[in-house]
Amino acid sequence: MQRRLLIGLVVVVLAVTVPAGITLLGGSSDSADDDPAGVSLTCDARSLVAKRELRGMWLTTVSNIDFPSRPGLPEAKVKAEFLGWLDLAQKMNHNAMFVHVRPSGDAFWPSAYAPWSEWLTGERGKDPGWDPLAWMIEQTHARNLEFHAWFNPYRGSQPATSGGAGADFAKLAPDHPLRKHPEWAVAFPEGTRNSRFYFDPGVPEARRHVEDAILDAVKRYDIDGVHFDDFFYPYPEGHEFNDDRSYARYGGGMSRGDWRRANVDTFVQEISQRIRESKPWVRFGLSPFGIWRNKASDPAGSPTKGLESYEAIYADTRKWVREKWLDYIVPQLYWNIGFDKADYAKLLPWWADTVKDTGVQLYVGQADYRVGEPGPWSKPTELDRQLTLNDRYGVSGSIHFSAKQVRADRLGAVTRYRDAHYAAPALVPTVTRLRDARPPAPTPTGARRDGDRTVLTWRPVDDVTGYAIYLADPEAQKASLVATVRASDLPSWIGPAGNYCVTSLDRANNESDPVLVS
């Protein structure tokens, strides 16, 4: 079986002096003789306290919104910038990065299915001479952060007004697939300065090509997730998407709306199945527009009065959840609490109810980019209040749009919610469909005191890739997560003087029983 376990070790720091008569973290230990009070210092999974919450930010490459800061930078500069974003993620106590690797029918890796991205090299199709995706994954994992590869499936180019090729075949990269297969392309909005190419979702060969391009990255790289945002069919913009030719050939008597939804459904289902067949541990999720349907259109809809993804962009997001094609969904709830047409406080419980009992995890797309706008967003408290609601409704995590806005920290809003909600690190939630037996625990090799510090060492479990570290409170009889680190051939950790416990986490974030290290 191809599956490789991603193991993280969990270390629990126990106080040096333990009051007589207190048994910490129950269980058994071979280290009882080391305790000065004569009390057996033991570890019990029930005493471990770690929040299970995905935390991340979108690192947008299209038009160089976040990264790289401009096209055509030297390799060393691109790498330095990316390391800066990882520094920010660690400062924020994030545990995942969502990196734009296919922004517009292009690629940030050497691909036979797409040309090199102009947002990287400054020239469409130009080889940078190194593999950014492989390097970014390596560096992200070195910080014990997950790497979710973010793909825009159907965009084939960017408008000329944004520095892209527009809807001009001659301006596409020489190896762009739409130059070889112009029958796959639809220009939208047709005949305007903002026109761009899309791969037609209604052409089966085009759909298969897009799937193959994504699976190329899945098979060749150690990514943790495949991530889409809200772009399938384009938003209307007052124009019609001209797929008359493919509809006439493949419509099969369906209404155009139903046919388009069926095209997107097929794509989502197929890519989900192919990812799971290739690498079952790779998660698949997407971040749709925040409104599926309004209650006025469908009794199952949300109490909203806004644009509907079901009708406007043919994305039946509720169906994808109910069919369990996704591991997680990240609705873009980019409205404030109390907004009349789409109240965050009303949409959030609707989404929480939608994912209930499906096994699909609910994360929320947070609108960091709106901080500082007039009205409710002029106050630094809006995102803090939203994250508080997320906790109330059992949301499994948040992704912030976008990285540049997190770094800007306008009005101090980011610092505010970081201190209130992300002050301690968190473990990524367990992948529901991959919950299985606990992975084996590591074998401790001891602890060495170095002044007021303790150096821990343990034998690595096969295929380990990460470790997490907990600090115990003897009086409270609990141990709280304080750090995570990546695995190595000689795993170790340095922390305050004390005793420690170690557990393993597999690739689906299942956790082993703890083992005392002292």
Side-chain angles (χ1 to χ4, degrees), residues 18 58 89 111-112 129 134 147 175 199 209 239 252 289 350 382 427 483 499:
V18 182
W58 281 290
S111 171
F147 188 99
D175 58 342
F199 288 83
H209 173 88
H239 297 265
F289 184 75
W350 183 90
E382 181 64 30
L427 299 179
N499 298 289

Side-chain angles (χ1 to χ4, degrees), residues 85-94 143-145 418:
W85 292 119
L86 295 183
D87 290 342
L88 177 62
Q90 289 189 297
K91 177 183 176 182
M92 290 295 301
N93 274 329
H94 288 179
R143 311 288 186 102
N144 207 36
L145 303 170
R418 191 266 186 197

Side-chain angles (χ1 to χ4, degrees), residues 295-310:
K295 200 173 188 65
S297 302
D298 189 313
S302 54
T304 49
K305 295 176 286 186
L307 180 143
E308 302 171 326
S309 67
Y310 182 91

Side-chain angles (χ1 to χ4, degrees), residues 337 367-368 370-388 400 409-421:
I337 295 171
D368 291 50
R370 297 202 63 185
V371 174
E373 293 181 3
W377 292 101
S378 65
K379 301 176 182 179
T381 56
E382 181 64 30
L383 288 172
D384 181 14
R385 295 174 63 207
Q386 292 183 3
L387 292 176
T388 298
H400 297 264
D409 192 15
R410 286 197 294 270
L411 306 180
V414 173
T415 296
R416 185 185 185 95
Y417 73 67
R418 191 266 186 197
D419 291 346
H421 300 277

Side-chain angles (χ1 to χ4, degrees), residues 155 157-161 166-167 186-198 234-242:
R155 280 183 170 179
S157 65
Q158 284 294 107
T161 52
V186 174
F188 179 87
E190 198 170 15
T192 71
R193 295 177 63 249
N194 291 320
S195 186
R196 71 177 80 179
F197 282 130
Y198 285 83
Y235 288 89
E237 300 180 23
H239 297 265
E240 181 60 34
F241 187 76
N242 187 3

Side-chain angles (χ1 to χ4, degrees), residues 62 102-105 152-159 165-169 172 176-179 181-190 192 194-203 206-207 209-210 229-237 239-243 245-246 260 264 312-314:
V62 66
R102 179 188 165 92
S104 300
N152 283 123
Y154 285 115
R155 280 183 170 179
S157 65
Q158 284 294 107
D168 186 342
F169 287 107
L172 296 174
H176 197 293
L178 292 183
R179 294 190 74 162
H181 295 282
E183 71 277 11
W184 294 354
V186 174
F188 179 87
E190 198 170 15
T192 71
N194 291 320
S195 186
R196 71 177 80 179
F197 282 130
Y198 285 83
F199 288 83
D200 187 346
V203 177
R207 181 177 68 241
H209 173 88
V210 171
D229 53 23
D230 53 323
F231 293 108
F232 294 97
Y233 281 92
Y235 288 89
E237 300 180 23
H239 297 265
E240 181 60 34
F241 187 76
N242 187 3
D243 54 2
R245 184 173 54 188
S246 56
R260 287 176 174 173
V264 181
I313 54 177
Y314 310 98

Side-chain angles (χ1 to χ4, degrees), residues 441-445 457-461 515 517:
T443 302
T445 57
T457 58
W458 54 87
R459 293 191 184 97
V461 180
V515 176
V517 182

Side-chain angles (χ1 to χ4, degrees), residues 1-4 277-281:
M1 186 174 184
Q2 290 186 11
R3 179 178 177 183
R4 297 181 303 148
E277 289 173 352
S278 176
K279 290 183 177 178
W281 60 87

